[in-house]
Amino acid sequence: MQLKFFGKLAEVTGKPTMEITSIADTDSLLNKLLQDFPKLKEYNILIAVDKKIVKQNQQLESHNEVALLPPFAGG
Amino acid sequence: MQLKFFGKLAEVTGKPTMEITSIADTDSLLNKLLQDFPKLKEYNILIAVDKKIVKQNQQLESHNEVALLPPFAGG
Amino acid sequence: MKMKETKKHKVFVQGAITPEFIAASIAKHSAKTTIGAHDIFLGQVRMDTIDGKVVQAIDYSSYKDMAEEKFHEIREQAFNKFNLTCMHIYHSEGLVKAGAICLFVFVSSARRAMAFDACKWIVEEIKANVPIWGKEIFEDNTFVWKENIK
Amino acid sequence: MKMKETKKHKVFVQGAITPEFIAASIAKHSAKTTIGAHDIFLGQVRMDTIDGKVVQAIDYSSYKDMAEEKFHEIREQAFNKFNLTCMHIYHSEGLVKAGAICLFVFVSSARRAMAFDACKWIVEEIKANVPIWGKEIFEDNTFVWKENIK
């Protein structure tokens, strides 16, 4: 599954995209990322699955497009 | 004292300005106008004395600029 | 009322307010770099159908001395009520064809909430308190006097 | 959500939104003679001072596929919620200098109340729900990530 990182989150991870395999759900994904990149704990993070913001834990499948988003700042 | 009439009120009186003498106050003025031009009774009329809308009866003096205004329709 | 400035600003424009005039007004604000939000209201003449006849234009007239005084008061009050960087009001006099712009209210502020609130307040004040009238003119050159609704 | 129209409207503009672009957009509406009121919101890049350094420009980026989907949803919802004749949203991507326009929301309706309410609602929706970010760039080419306040 491909992960996308945007804005300051991409700075923390050092890259805008990342491949990841065998992650059951969005909560597990977030836990894994916070382990791999402890600095992410300093930020508010939104998760979008297939371009929809996920508010509760959601199952992930390999075809999903998963994006990690910092708070929006348009306008 | 000079009276000014605007918008549809000037159509009713047939002229945009009119000279008038010895009128004590705005209530008397309005009564006189409604006698002279009975068709004015069909309209909502605002009176401005020296460019301020008068909401209660007000004494008039010869130097006042008195205007009769139909409801505003700017914009 | 506190009088912050006494300069009278020219409000009345002969005929329609053009898109080019609006663009020039927007462009002038690029030098004011504390501005973060503009709200612009434009009134446009509608081709209303009234008793089967179609409005072609509005011919605006005013009690000009009083109107200019009222526009000035609205301006002063707006600066006292809202935290604005600048504001401009333009209103047509004379003939404005259907589809053209007759009112241009332009409010600028550091942040959007103030700009929105002020612009709406100013437009309502203009409609309620400024002595302006309009003849809605039909194809056959007859007319009715315009009445305002929200 | 009722899908009134499925056509996607191009929202992103490379760099600043110019006054001439805004004027051309206003001019196009003169043919829509049921319109009586336009409300236009413009976001302008502020030359803010942050920790002693002055913002020279904002570099906008987005999660573009999702942003375009969100803009489309906002458009559909606005037409369902408000009685609008038309609406347009334009947002910059890439570099926009301080003093220039980065957001242009243009709402048109028969009467003013709807135009005001809809324009404000749309701007709040954009700020809350569209994945766009901005780097505020200083004279020395360092930057901070922009944070939105009302």
Side-chain angles (χ1 to χ4, degrees), chain C residues 2-148:
Chain C
K2 194 172 52 169
M3 293 296 277
K4 274 191 188 166
E5 51 182 306
T6 50
K7 189 181 154 217
K8 285 270 196 317
H9 292 255
K10 197 175 167 327
V11 169
F12 284 108
V13 170
Q14 192 61 43
I17 296 161
T18 64
E20 293 71 32
F21 181 89
I22 297 163
S25 193
I26 293 168
K28 278 179 202 157
H29 289 73
S30 66
K32 301 197 175 181
T33 51
T34 60
I35 293 172
H38 305 285
D39 196 27
I40 293 175
F41 178 83
L42 302 175
Q44 180 168 305
V45 174
R46 277 193 313 276
M47 205 174 250
D48 281 349
T49 300
I50 302 174
D51 294 334
K53 294 199 284 187
V54 180
V55 173
Q56 300 297 308
I58 294 181
D59 187 6
Y60 284 100
S61 57
S62 72
Y63 179 9
K64 198 164 180 178
D65 287 349
M66 179 175 162
E68 286 177 339
E69 222 172 90
K70 284 286 164 191
F71 277 125
H72 186 68
E73 278 175 34
I74 291 169
R75 186 180 169 79
E76 295 292 320
Q77 287 172 23
F79 274 110
N80 285 341
K81 272 177 89 78
F82 304 97
N83 192 8
L84 302 179
T85 312
C86 59
M87 62 161 288
H88 306 274
I89 303 173
Y90 300 98
H91 197 295
S92 295
E93 57 184 354
L95 208 66
V96 182
K97 285 190 182 163
I101 305 293
C102 56
L103 173 60
F104 170 26
V105 176
F106 188 2
V107 175
S108 309
S109 184
R111 301 198 176 277
R112 68 189 180 279
M114 273 290 163
F116 275 125
D117 291 351
C119 188
K120 191 173 178 174
W121 182 87
I122 291 162
V123 172
E124 297 301 331
E125 285 292 308
I126 293 170
K127 300 259 179 184
N129 296 319
V130 183
I132 296 174
W133 303 277
K135 282 181 179 177
E136 296 183 304
I137 299 172
F138 302 111
E139 306 108 302
D140 59 2
N141 280 315
T142 59
F143 67 89
V144 294
W145 288 96
K146 173 176 182 275
E147 285 174 25
N148 272 1

